[in-house]
Amino acid sequence: MSDTTFDYIIIGGGTAGALLCNRLSADGRSRVLLIEAGRKDDYHWIHIPVGYLYCIGNPRTDWLYNTEPDAGLNGRTLRYPRGKTLGGCSSINGMIYMRGQARDYDQWAELTGDDSWRWDNALPYFRRHEDHWRLDQPSGVNENFKRLHGSKSTGGTGEWRVEKQRLRWDVLDAFAQAAQQAGIPATDDFNGGSNEGVGYFEVNQKNGWRWNTAKAFLRPTCYGRPNFEMWPAAQAAKLLIETQPDGSRRCTGVQVWDGHEMVTARATHEVVLSAGAVNSPQLLQLSGIGPAALLRQHGIDVVHDLPGVGANLQDHLQIRTVFKVQGVETLNTMANSLWGKAKIGLEYALKRSGPMSMAPSQLGAFTRSSPDQPWPNIEYHVQPLSLDAFGEPLHSFPAFTASVCNLNPTSRGSVQIKTGRFQDAPAIAPRYLSTPEDRKVAADSLRVTRRIVAQSALSRYQPQEWKPGTQYETDEDLARLAGDIATTIFHPVGTTKMGRDGDPMAVLTPQLRVRGIDGLRVVDAGAMPTITSGNADAGRKGRRMDPGGAQGGIRALTQPPGRTAHAVTPPEERPQTRTASANTTHIARHLGRRRDALSHCLRSYVQQRAALRVGGWSMDGVVQTCSPLGQFGHVVFLGVLAGKTHDLQRIFGVDRHPFGVCHAPRLAAQQNMQMGSNGELVGFRHGKTLHPPRRSRCWAMSSPVCSLCTSTRRPIAKLMIHSSAAVATRL
């Protein structure tokens, strides 16, 4: 199989994509490629919980999207954060673990005609990958909780850690008491099927650090599998659609821009879009799949007219009310002094607790906007702080914020390309508050907020409504006010919705296949026909694909314990035992392309041995790595020729140069190596200057080094290939 041909190609390394990679690569016979437009999640603010403040609006981790001017928001535009890094939005979101309500999944079953989407059928998949902190001591937990939640102790895989928050606030405790006085019951579990109640949110953290999906599902598990490959900082530009002999259309691969050139990756089985509710419809439209009129407008050949691609956008719009308080500590006052900031930093450094460990919202509440609502239809995010908008400084006065959102908006928006260029952002038009029902819920929810704050539990702190202000009373005033102050909480879904065969706007089948295109699926929040009644991240990890049967094309991704994953459409027949050259190819690819694996191996001999263990083959030679000091994790890959030169050249896909060193062309480009037409190393380019190479001695092996930078380069590891194992040793 070619170096750019895989069984499965997954586009997007976020919440859904990471889980997909983990499950699909578990079968060692299938090669899996992950394409992620963002960089690796090695930015420190990703992992410190409060770091979302520095990740949103940061080009290092965010796509930097903005909405179109919105009539429902009185002409305003909103910042629309989307994760652009490994882990996707799970690397920059609020970390709240929320499945939604059972009725959400039952509604999906009705809309798709597939009962396997019902809550009772989805629950085993949630339980399988969950690692809930209360089940660390399962003997102290009742049976009903064990029925709803999972960990390794209950037979699951336990990758997705759920923990309680590591702080409390007096002002939030008082708000919770006030909510109970207003008729909202207390709850300690928002994920049992009905999330009605008030309590502290549980979060995706581990020991005070953010637990994103890259940590949970990719490393170290996938990094240690030779059949898994990852291309970070590589953006999918266009899907390849070919017409088959029988007249059907099939997705056979994807064109990828790696920052230097366009590379074509091919899939023998399926391409899976997991780029999110904004980027997945954009890529489909750029590839000629979408509304025909829109595609022709931008000069794109229509491959398949699917009017639902980019339609049906749904999102949660929150209305932020700010209340000034007295006689209680809030983050506003704590963080507005040098001593307060030092105290916050010291607490996190010593205990991994305190404000630096907190999610954007700590306290939650689910209730009804009016008595005639049949179920909880609004959600509160309550915070011991106030600011004008995320990214803005905290206010100087003590205050808390009670943000409320409509869980089930009837407004529908769209995502549409603006040009035929993959580099250009699409037009995001949520059309918030565009229906009378949504405006009514907005007005009613503000009244509920005021009723809670008026209870005696909060009276000792003398709360005063600072924003929006008590002068707004009528439905009309409150709805207009909501348009002035409301903002998104970043839960876009539905832009590639699944549905019944007779639904003209359904993009996907209930098994998440793109209608009319074989070999192509969309597996992300865009597949949801309706938005979940709560934070959307956990809902993306429910039942992802058909667990089997005649309709399944990919194995079940989250099989309940005891069920064996299988491929309904099996890969081509392959020998069960790899030949020497095949094993060599796999280990070479493992070392050459995925430099993360080597770094991981160097940290632990045991982990490295498990990751790189091979058998039944041998190779005379040494693989050597060099790294410029000061460039974290940036590794030059050099294969030193020894013994069978032709095998090494074939394995690494490289040419021999005068120093007798093989190099990976892509990595050479990253290190500014200038190569001649015959594979000869000409020199190292720094800006517009070309420096000649010189030969240095690294472990008694000749390797090329820039004459200017000789002093800044040193070997960091030697990896010797033996017949039974690969052993890495530090210098």
Side-chain angles (χ1 to χ4, degrees), residues 700-724:
M701 297 293 179
S702 299
S703 60
V705 182
C706 177
S707 60
L708 179 70
C709 306
T710 302
S711 62
T712 65
R713 292 178 179 271
R714 66 182 179 93
I716 61 168
K718 177 176 72 172
L719 196 139
M720 303 185 66
I721 309 298
H722 299 284
S723 60
S724 59

Side-chain angles (χ1 to χ4, degrees), residues 373-409:
Q373 293 290 336
W375 48 67
N377 69 318
I378 58 174
E379 177 186 8
Y380 281 91
H381 294 82
V382 192
Q383 306 145 338
L385 56 87
S386 65
L387 38 72
D388 292 330
F390 281 120
E392 300 295 322
L394 296 171
H395 295 144
S396 59
F397 48 82
F400 71 88
T401 300
S403 299
V404 62
C405 71
N406 180 358
L407 290 172
N408 309 118

Side-chain angles (χ1 to χ4, degrees), residues 157-188:
T157 52
E159 297 98 344
W160 195 230
R161 182 66 175 174
V162 180
E163 292 189 349
K164 65 178 179 179
Q165 298 195 59
R166 301 167 71 90
L167 77 169
R168 302 190 75 86
W169 296 84
D170 289 342
V171 68
L172 298 187
D173 291 341
F175 188 97
Q177 295 170 15
Q180 294 173 56
Q181 292 173 348
I184 304 173
T187 184
D188 62 355

Side-chain angles (χ1 to χ4, degrees), residues 403-483:
S403 299
V404 62
C405 71
N406 180 358
L407 290 172
N408 309 118
T410 55
S411 301
R412 297 291 185 269
S414 64
V415 174
Q416 297 183 338
I417 55 173
K418 294 181 179 180
T419 73
R421 290 166 36 92
F422 73 90
Q423 303 95 328
D424 296 337
I428 305 170
R431 300 188 183 95
Y432 297 117
L433 302 173
S434 58
T435 65
E437 295 86 352
D438 288 358
R439 291 192 293 273
K440 176 67 168 130
V441 171
D444 288 343
S445 64
L446 284 170
R447 294 191 178 98
V448 175
T449 305
R450 290 171 174 175
R451 188 174 78 246
I452 295 173
V453 176
Q455 301 300 316
S456 61
L458 275 167
S459 62
R460 63 183 180 276
Y461 301 133
Q462 304 176 43
Q464 296 181 338
E465 185 175 328
W466 182 72
K467 192 174 182 180
T470 57
Q471 66 270 29
Y472 302 99
E473 291 286 348
T474 68
D475 283 5
E476 190 175 325
D477 285 344
L478 291 174
R480 184 177 63 254
L481 179 73

Side-chain angles (χ1 to χ4, degrees), residues 98 100-104 107 183-185 187 189-190 192-198 316 364-380 404-409 441 445 448 531-535:
M98 187 68 59
Q101 298 173 10
R103 64 181 179 87
D104 300 329
Q107 185 182 28
I184 304 173
T187 184
D189 186 11
F190 287 121
S194 173
N195 49 21
E196 185 169 16
V198 59
H316 287 145
F366 292 81
T367 188
R368 294 163 172 81
S369 62
S370 61
D372 60 335
Q373 293 290 336
W375 48 67
N377 69 318
I378 58 174
E379 177 186 8
Y380 281 91
V404 62
C405 71
N406 180 358
L407 290 172
N408 309 118
V441 171
S445 64
V448 175
I531 196 167
T532 54
S533 302
N535 308 71

Side-chain angles (χ1 to χ4, degrees), residues 78-82 93-94 315-320 361 379-381 383 390 403-407 432 486-492 531 534-536:
L78 299 179
R79 178 185 290 176
Y80 215 70
R82 297 283 85 201
N93 68 4
D315 193 12
H316 287 145
L317 184 74
Q318 71 173 2
I319 306 171
R320 301 173 62 249
S361 301
E379 177 186 8
Y380 281 91
H381 294 82
Q383 306 145 338
F390 281 120
S403 299
V404 62
C405 71
N406 180 358
L407 290 172
Y432 297 117
T487 186
T488 174
I489 47 176
F490 326 132
H491 298 162
I531 196 167
N535 308 71

